[in-house]
Amino acid sequence: MKTVKYLRDFGWEPVVFTAKDAAYPVIDESLAKDIPEGVQVLKGDIWEPYELYKRFTNRDKKERVYSGFMTGTEKPSFTQKASVWLRGNFFIPDARAFWRRPSVRMLTDWLANNEVDAIISSGPPHTTHLIAKALKRKTGIPWLADFRDPWTNIDFYDQLMLTSWADRKHRNLEQSVIKEADKMITVSWSWADDFRRLGRKDIEVVTNGFDEADFQQHPVSPDPKFTICHIGSLNQDRNSKPLWEVLAGLTTENPAFREALRLRFIGKTDEITFSQLEELGLSQNVERVEYIPHNEITGALARARVLLLLTNDTPNVMGVVPGKLFEYLAAKRPILAIGTTKGDAARILKETSAGTMCGFEDKQAMKACLLDLFNNFEQGEAPQAGDPEAIRNFSRKGATATIARYLNEIAIKK
């Protein structure tokens, strides 16, 4: 959406193809303000298995299905395991797999009467790449494949319980996209290296970013409490028990820390997190906010004393750079991150001087960072964090300029 917002600034007129009445975990109407006036949006019918999934697992019909395997329990039920097996082995590459053929038919007809100079597919869902591949084969229109997440290197790939046949199918489809796209981009340097090992030598990196327009607001006073804020989904794989244990220890050692501490979770958070916090005696310090619209996020970020970034301890962790990191950067509040100190997220924090990355189990580093941040809080300090010039390198508009340059390289010459 942010790419579409700025493409016109660089000489490209976007036409958007998306699904009609698709299932999403969250729908944020406040984002509609970013859709440029007059942009043509095509919508195709889609069938998804989520209603079947909810019936099979005895979930409420009105419940929205979240990604990331957040079951709310430490041990998933048999029906949940069976659903994951079916998803991995019968819905290839993803739950939108049955959207491919009708979309290709619809867009082939549309393209017969409308001139297009290039196609961008952005995934996941990786079904979008298969739609674009089919259109390129039919029409010859050059194609840029944009991988916002890996495919077979995604952190939960090994949880899909794939048969050898399904694994080969996933990998063969991935290879077809890697080989046939005229240009490929991804969002982190380590993931680019992964794709190079899979055979795509000329892949480029265009990171996620923040929209400067979202942060043009009046200054917001920070919370009177020592508020550590996490925004966005927090699934079981990202939960950091070592951090909660460090916080519990500090509240025991220092009554002032206990009195001042507030842990604010905004967004869908796995119940395992709240269960562990309760066991450690921190439930009185917890504030839960299920959801706020995106246009209120900037204020929530600015009010926090510390912004918390948690990443998955998975094989592809080197390239994990959560999208929220960039809005954290724009908010200019100190960032406490838990992850690998050698990965791309740590690289960005170092380049921007915006925060500290602590190892997954490095309680000593976590404690030292928290004590330093709390000392600043007690002294009444709320300085802006980060190097403004370095942070500006991660703007959405700048990323769109790079994408437009790649489109210029591959576009049909007239």
Side-chain angles (χ1 to χ4, degrees):
M1 187 187 64
K2 294 293 187 180
T3 301
V4 168
K5 177 179 178 179
Y6 289 113
L7 267 175
R8 286 174 172 171
D9 292 347
F10 305 101
W12 283 87
E13 177 62 26
V15 177
V16 178
F17 174 68
T18 187
K20 180 166 50 177
D21 299 323
Y24 299 101
V26 176
I27 296 176
D28 189 342
E29 299 294 347
S30 75
L31 293 170
K33 66 179 176 58
D34 280 336
I35 301 173
E37 186 176 351
V39 164
Q40 186 172 7
V41 179
L42 310 174
K43 294 187 177 183
D45 291 326
I46 187 170
W47 179 85
E48 301 166 287
Y50 296 116
E51 293 306 315
L52 291 176
Y53 168 75
K54 284 188 279 190
R55 277 196 297 236
F56 186 60
T57 57
N58 200 29
R59 294 190 175 208
D60 190 292
K61 290 183 179 180
K62 296 181 180 179
E63 181 180 353
R64 293 188 181 274
V65 179
Y66 285 77
S67 60
F69 302 95
M70 290 193 294
T71 64
T73 61
E74 292 193 62
K75 292 185 179 180
S77 67
F78 169 78
T79 55
Q80 288 165 338
K81 288 182 179 179
S83 297
V84 172
W85 188 89
L86 288 167
R87 176 318 202 183
N89 291 282
F90 286 90
F91 295 87
I92 299 174
D94 46 58
R96 269 78 179 198
F98 290 93
W99 190 42
R100 178 172 61 88
R101 288 185 179 179
S103 297
V104 172
R105 286 195 298 269
M106 173 184 167
L107 292 174
T108 300
D109 291 343
W110 187 85
L111 287 167
N113 299 299
N114 295 272
E115 289 191 14
V116 166
D117 299 297
I119 297 170
I120 298 177
S121 60
S122 187
H126 300 306
T127 291
T128 59
H129 300 313
L130 302 184
I131 294 169
K133 181 184 71 172
L135 293 174
K136 187 200 170 182
R137 286 179 175 182
K138 285 176 174 287
T139 66
I141 299 172
W143 159 41
L144 184 154
D146 173 21
F147 279 84
R148 318 305 295 174
D149 275 315
W151 188 329
T152 58
N153 284 330
I154 193 69
D155 52 12
F156 57 78
Y157 188 75
D158 63 344
Q159 298 177 33
L160 293 175
M161 297 182 280
L162 300 175
T163 63
S164 58
W165 175 87
D167 179 53
R168 284 196 304 274
K169 182 72 170 176
H170 277 283
R171 295 183 187 279
N172 289 339
L173 288 172
E174 179 182 45
Q175 278 295 313
S176 70
V177 172
I178 288 172
K179 291 176 181 177
E180 296 187 41
D182 295 278
K183 193 74 178 179
M184 263 185 66
I185 61 175
T186 192
V187 295
S188 71
W189 301 276
S190 294
W191 287 352
D193 288 339
D194 289 342
F195 278 115
R196 290 185 187 103
R197 284 188 283 271
L198 289 172
R200 186 72 194 212
K201 303 304 181 184
D202 62 342
I203 189 167
E204 305 286 352
V205 175
V206 181
T207 69
N208 281 303
F210 64 92
D211 188 351
E212 290 179 294
D214 291 340
F215 290 84
Q216 294 173 357
Q217 60 177 24
H218 298 295
V220 175
S221 298
D223 281 345
K225 293 279 191 177
F226 182 60
T227 304
I228 301 174
C229 182
H230 181 278
I231 288 184
S233 63
L234 201 173
N235 63 15
Q236 186 170 320
D237 290 341
R238 296 190 193 113
N239 178 63
S240 178
K241 190 174 183 180
L243 176 61
W244 313 144
E245 290 172 342
V246 169
L247 286 166
L250 287 170
T251 60
T252 300
E253 296 169 13
N254 187 342
F257 188 91
R258 172 179 284 278
E259 177 63 28
L261 177 65
R262 175 179 293 166
L263 295 171
R264 180 179 294 144
F265 297 90
I266 301 175
K268 183 68 174 178
T269 301
D270 195 284
E271 288 300 323
I272 190 66
T273 296
F274 300 121
S275 174
Q276 290 177 355
L277 290 168
E278 184 175 5
E279 289 173 5
L280 292 165
L282 292 171
S283 56
Q284 295 300 313
N285 302 90
V286 170
E287 179 184 338
R288 301 174 63 168
V289 181
E290 188 74 11
Y291 167 76
I292 61 174
H294 189 266
N295 61 355
E296 296 178 19
I297 288 290
T298 55
L301 293 171
R303 284 192 295 275
R305 294 287 181 162
V306 180
L307 296 172
L308 179 60
L309 184 77
L310 302 175
T311 61
N312 302 32
D313 189 3
T314 56
N316 72 342
V317 68
M318 297 295 289
V320 172
V321 184
K324 66 172 70 74
L325 170 57
F326 300 97
E327 296 201 325
Y328 282 13
L329 294 176
K332 298 183 175 64
R333 308 302 303 132
I335 299 168
L336 169 59
I338 309 298
T340 174
T341 57
K342 297 181 179 180
D344 293 339
R347 168 179 171 171
I348 291 170
L349 286 173
K350 185 176 181 180
E351 287 181 0
T352 57
S353 304
T356 302
M357 176 69 76
C358 301
F360 289 106
E361 303 291 334
D362 193 346
K363 292 184 179 181
Q364 185 175 352
M366 296 176 200
K367 183 174 182 179
C369 181
L370 285 163
L371 285 174
D372 184 54
L373 292 165
F374 185 64
N375 183 55
N376 291 339
F377 166 77
E378 284 195 308
Q379 294 180 15
E381 297 177 12
Q384 289 195 337
D387 176 350
E389 288 301 316
I391 290 172
R392 198 168 291 120
N393 290 330
F394 297 101
S395 75
R396 290 285 190 184
K397 189 170 184 177
T400 305
T402 303
I403 291 172
R405 177 161 53 86
Y406 294 146
L407 290 175
N408 290 339
E409 291 175 6
I410 67 172
I412 295 172
K413 302 298 188 292
K414 297 184 177 176

